[in-house]
Amino acid sequence: MSISRRILSRRAFNALAGAAFFAAMAPVPSFAQDVTIPIIVKDTTSFYWQIVLAGARAAGKDLGVNVPELGAQSESDINGQISILENAVAGAPAAVVIAPTEFKALGKPIDEAAKAVPIIGIDSGADSKAFSSFLTTDNVQGGRIAADGLAAAIKEATGKEEGEVAIITSLPGVGSLDQRREGFLDQVKTKYPGLKVVADKYADGQATTGLNIMTDLITANPNLVGVFASNLIMAQGAGQAIAENKLGDKIKVIGFDSDEKTVGFLKEGVLAGLVVQDPYRMGYDGVKTALAVSKGEKVEANVDTGANLVTKANMSEPKIDALLNPKVN
């Protein structure tokens, strides 16, 4: 071999060795960093769902997972959410996290989606047995908590657990809302015989409708002493009606979930209480569970993420304050 060829061979060897060294030194992408797990919420404009998305975003950052944040502009846009789910699955993600808008309508689309990718459910159920895992508040228990809170507020104001009460449900056919209604009505019936449910109303998912329903209830039921507004939007509407009519001392309202407006109503005595879930945990653990499933790990089929009654008296406690003021950035 000539001297020039030996020099060239040594240079080639050194170049290859150097490349191998730097390849060994470079960070190797983990499984998670190559993973995409979309999360699909009911309404990207709602503060509640923004908290869910914040939890999912934090999980993506912590786990090195790409988490597209998807959802319709209204909880009543069922067809919109179905299209979003179909498009998300078409992108061949590792898994999908979804909060179904409507129990019946999302059943078959989730069945179909689960044939291609694992589906993790959060918040609300669907007519499907295809979920790899389901993380939610025990909404029946949430309804019971609301009934207990309402009875306590009425007793504090009147000295007895008696009087006419009503319930306002944001939309018909939504699994979580139906369960809250069921838990509330059952608890009133079995535990508070002195409370009489005189109205059981459904809205259309809009705060203005909640305001109108609450206003009509005030007019039609002069002896009304309590109302359960079963989600954030209805709590906003009902609270507004109570504030405008200055009836916070007479009609006790328990809402569900929280935002700046409803927390303000709580501080002012417009609302008597809020049943608060842990939406941040739903988003975070939803993505974490989806990643585990995509890697073939065993996960719990059902996870209760908890609910707490918040009142003016306990809202400054550290645990409650963390739920009322989650980090959304």
Side-chain angles (χ1 to χ4, degrees), residues 181-195:
R181 174 181 173 275
E182 173 193 338
F184 176 81
L185 293 175
D186 181 68
Q187 191 80 336
V188 168
K189 180 180 178 180
T190 58
K191 192 174 178 181
Y192 305 106
L195 297 180

Side-chain angles (χ1 to χ4, degrees), residues 9-309:
S9 296
R10 284 199 300 272
R11 287 176 176 170
F13 173 81
N14 290 338
L16 289 171
F21 172 78
F22 285 111
M25 292 294 290
V28 179
S30 68
F31 173 84
Q33 288 172 325
D34 299 323
V35 167
T36 293
I37 298 174
I39 180 168
I40 304 171
V41 297
K42 298 181 184 182
D43 175 3
T44 56
T45 69
S46 163
F47 183 69
Y48 175 84
W49 295 110
Q50 287 171 13
I51 300 171
V52 173
L53 292 176
R57 193 179 312 130
K61 183 178 180 181
D62 290 349
L63 301 171
V65 176
N66 178 36
V67 183
E69 299 173 14
L70 310 174
Q73 298 295 298
S74 168
E75 292 196 17
S76 60
D77 187 3
I78 298 167
N79 290 331
Q81 193 187 53
I82 292 172
S83 296
I84 291 168
L85 173 61
E86 291 171 346
N87 290 335
V89 172
V96 171
V97 180
I98 185 170
T101 53
E102 204 272 340
F103 183 80
K104 288 289 185 183
L106 268 291
K108 288 184 179 179
I110 287 172
D111 285 342
E112 287 300 312
K115 293 177 183 178
V117 299
I119 304 295
I120 307 301
I122 59 171
D123 185 79
S124 297
D127 191 12
S128 172
K129 298 186 184 301
F131 291 109
S132 296
S133 183
F134 189 65
L135 300 86
T136 185
T137 303
D138 181 340
N139 282 291
V140 173
Q141 178 61 17
R144 294 190 187 108
I145 291 170
D148 289 342
L150 188 59
I154 291 169
K155 184 176 182 179
E156 183 178 356
T158 67
K160 51 189 177 182
E161 296 168 345
E162 295 179 5
E164 296 180 356
V165 299
I167 179 171
I168 306 173
T169 301
S170 184
L171 286 164
V174 178
S176 58
L177 302 182
D178 288 345
Q179 290 163 5
R180 291 171 198 171
R181 174 181 173 275
E182 173 193 338
F184 176 81
L185 293 175
D186 181 68
Q187 191 80 336
V188 168
K189 180 180 178 180
T190 58
K191 192 174 178 181
Y192 305 106
L195 297 180
K196 181 183 179 183
V197 179
V198 295
D200 185 357
K201 300 291 186 178
Y202 283 92
D204 60 0
Q206 304 299 317
T208 52
T209 307
L211 167 61
N212 292 336
I213 289 175
M214 186 70 235
T215 301
D216 290 344
L217 287 173
I218 292 168
T219 302
N221 302 276
N223 296 320
L224 193 69
V225 295
V227 173
F228 172 39
S230 71
N231 82 338
L232 176 62
I233 297 170
M234 291 304 102
Q236 291 171 345
Q240 188 64 41
I242 293 294
E244 290 177 359
N245 289 278
K246 296 180 172 57
L247 290 171
D249 290 336
K250 181 187 176 188
I251 301 176
K252 301 302 175 181
V253 177
I254 301 292
F256 214 102
D257 298 325
S258 67
D259 67 352
E260 186 176 354
K261 184 171 186 176
T262 54
V263 170
F265 282 154
L266 186 62
K267 290 178 180 177
E268 296 162 9
V270 173
L271 298 179
L274 297 167
V275 180
V276 177
Q277 307 178 80
D278 196 342
Y280 189 92
R281 180 185 170 192
M282 282 187 207
Y284 192 102
D285 285 1
V287 171
K288 183 178 179 181
T289 302
L291 177 60
V293 170
S294 72
K295 295 165 69 174
E297 298 175 8
K298 187 176 180 180
V299 298
E300 293 290 331
N302 294 281
V303 178
D304 179 8
T305 53
N308 295 271
L309 178 68

